[in-house]
Amino acid sequence: MGDAPTPVMFAIVTTNKEAVYGGMSPIFVAQDELERDRIAMWLTRITNCIAHDLHNGTIILTVNQAGGA
């Protein structure tokens, strides 16, 4: 039996650019929550990733990476 898929951070969408920095994921800075939600929605539709709202102005998007065999 193989390992369960591992979630990998794909992107970050935020309204507060000072709250998020560094890392290897692209960061999309939105002007307000409406734009943040719209960007996250389109990224999930285009890439089939999952959005996770951190309830601090930031949404992280993850994809599942297949476990090693």
Side-chain angles (χ1 to χ4, degrees):
M1 177 180 244
D3 292 337
T6 303
V8 175
M9 190 174 305
F10 169 73
I12 300 168
V13 187
T14 188
T15 57
N16 184 359
K17 65 181 176 182
E18 284 79 33
V20 180
Y21 56 90
M24 296 175 52
S25 299
I27 301 170
F28 297 85
V29 180
Q31 293 179 358
D32 55 33
E33 289 185 3
L34 184 64
E35 183 182 26
R36 178 202 65 187
D37 293 346
R38 183 182 57 81
I39 293 169
M41 178 205 58
W42 280 111
L43 287 172
T44 59
R45 287 183 180 184
I46 293 166
T47 63
N48 199 29
C49 62
I50 301 168
H52 307 274
D53 189 346
L54 300 182
H55 299 287
N56 66 354
T58 301
I59 296 175
I60 61 170
L61 305 172
T62 62
V63 294
N64 285 336
Q65 173 179 309

